[in-house]
């Protein structure tokens, strides 16, 4: 299947595809010595796949910038796959047919973004916004779906001022 410590899924119901983010850790259960660390990846499968199904395509390699990819969301209007890239403090955006060692179409990253260890992403289709849950600074940040680069969030939800420790939001 190519599954290696999966941490997120996103659905493209129009094209019948499920995307899975993989941290890259692998071992065969109950078999000592089978563990290994492979490169992080995103694998795509038929949405009705069942059992030991090979991926339709895989996004993997240094150009991808994948570093503990976590939650993902798929925008059915533009066909963009948004990936919470935990250790890189970024959101990567890939196209629906991307495969191999491909660079993201765009990324949201930088000190103005407020993104820190993003572990959740959600697309608000009605308002055309991207919501990001940030474990690293205990916040939720919101961006236009077209955001790119060092973009200031439209809104930030946080239980304390930016310079204070936020205790009420633990692991969003």
């Amino acid at each position: 299947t190519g599954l290696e410590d999966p941490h997120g899924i996103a659905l493209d119901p129009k094209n019948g595809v499920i995307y899975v983010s993989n941290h890259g850790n692998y071992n065969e259960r109950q078999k000592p010595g089978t563990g290994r660390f492979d490169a992080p990846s995103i694998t795509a499968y038929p949405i009705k796949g069942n059992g030991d199904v090979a991926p339709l395509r895989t996004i993997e390699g240094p150009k991808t910038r994948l570093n503990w990819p976590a939650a993902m969301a798929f925008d059915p209007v533009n066909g963009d796959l948004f990936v919470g890239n935990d250790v890189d403090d970024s959101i990567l955006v890939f196209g629906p047919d991307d495969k191999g060692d491909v660079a993201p179409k765009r990324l949201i990253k930088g000190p103005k973004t407020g993104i820190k260890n993003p572990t959740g992403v959600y697309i608000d289709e009605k308002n055309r916004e991207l919501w990001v849950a940030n474990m690293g600074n205990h916040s939720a940040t919101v961006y236009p779906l077209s955001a790119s680069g060092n973009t200031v969030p439209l809104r930030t939800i946080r239980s304390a001022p930016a310079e204070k420790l936020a205790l009420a939001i633990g692991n969003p």
Side-chain angles (χ1 to χ4, degrees), residues 3 6-10 18-22 41-45 72:
L3 294 174
H7 271 69
I9 61 169
I18 181 170
Y19 298 92
V20 180
S21 63
N22 300 283
S41 66
I42 297 170
T43 45
Y45 304 91
M72 298 185 298

Side-chain angles (χ1 to χ4, degrees), residues 54-116:
L56 300 168
R57 58 192 165 278
T58 301
I59 299 171
E60 180 179 54
K63 291 180 189 172
T64 67
R65 300 181 62 123
L66 292 170
N67 195 346
W68 280 20
M72 298 185 298
F74 186 81
D75 177 11
V77 174
N78 294 328
D80 288 334
L81 177 65
F82 292 84
V83 180
N85 203 27
D86 187 352
V87 176
D88 189 50
D89 298 330
S90 65
I91 302 297
L92 307 176
V93 184
F94 292 99
D97 298 318
D98 283 351
K99 62 182 175 183
D101 188 10
V102 61
K105 290 171 56 171
R106 65 183 190 281
L107 71 143
I108 306 169
K109 179 178 173 67
K112 293 180 185 176
T113 67
I115 295 173
K116 181 71 176 150

Side-chain angles (χ1 to χ4, degrees), residues 1-171:
T1 63
L3 294 174
E4 297 170 326
D5 197 10
H7 271 69
I9 61 169
L11 301 177
D12 174 2
K14 177 182 171 189
N15 295 303
V17 176
I18 181 170
Y19 298 92
V20 180
S21 63
N22 300 283
H23 277 196
N25 306 320
Y26 175 84
N27 76 344
E28 293 182 35
R29 299 270 183 222
Q30 309 300 321
K31 291 186 180 179
T34 61
R36 67 178 190 259
F37 295 102
D38 292 335
S41 66
I42 297 170
T43 45
Y45 304 91
I47 205 163
K48 293 189 178 192
N50 187 21
D52 192 5
V53 177
L56 300 168
R57 58 192 165 278
T58 301
I59 299 171
E60 180 179 54
K63 291 180 189 172
T64 67
R65 300 181 62 123
L66 292 170
N67 195 346
W68 280 20
M72 298 185 298
F74 186 81
D75 177 11
V77 174
N78 294 328
D80 288 334
L81 177 65
F82 292 84
V83 180
N85 203 27
D86 187 352
V87 176
D88 189 50
D89 298 330
S90 65
I91 302 297
L92 307 176
V93 184
F94 292 99
D97 298 318
D98 283 351
K99 62 182 175 183
D101 188 10
V102 61
K105 290 171 56 171
R106 65 183 190 281
L107 71 143
I108 306 169
K109 179 178 173 67
K112 293 180 185 176
T113 67
I115 295 173
K116 181 71 176 150
N117 305 108
T119 54
V121 292
Y122 173 79
I123 292 176
D124 175 351
E125 290 184 49
K126 179 181 175 188
N127 295 305
R128 305 303 296 152
E129 294 177 337
L130 173 70
W131 283 77
V132 178
N134 298 286
M135 185 175 70
N137 61 18
H138 309 285
S139 70
T141 49
V142 185
Y143 309 88
L145 280 180
S146 60
S148 183
N150 194 13
T151 302
V152 174
L154 299 171
R155 297 182 299 288
T156 299
I157 298 174
R158 197 166 187 283
S159 63
E163 68 280 357
K164 301 288 183 186
L165 184 62
L167 299 176
I169 300 178
N171 188 0

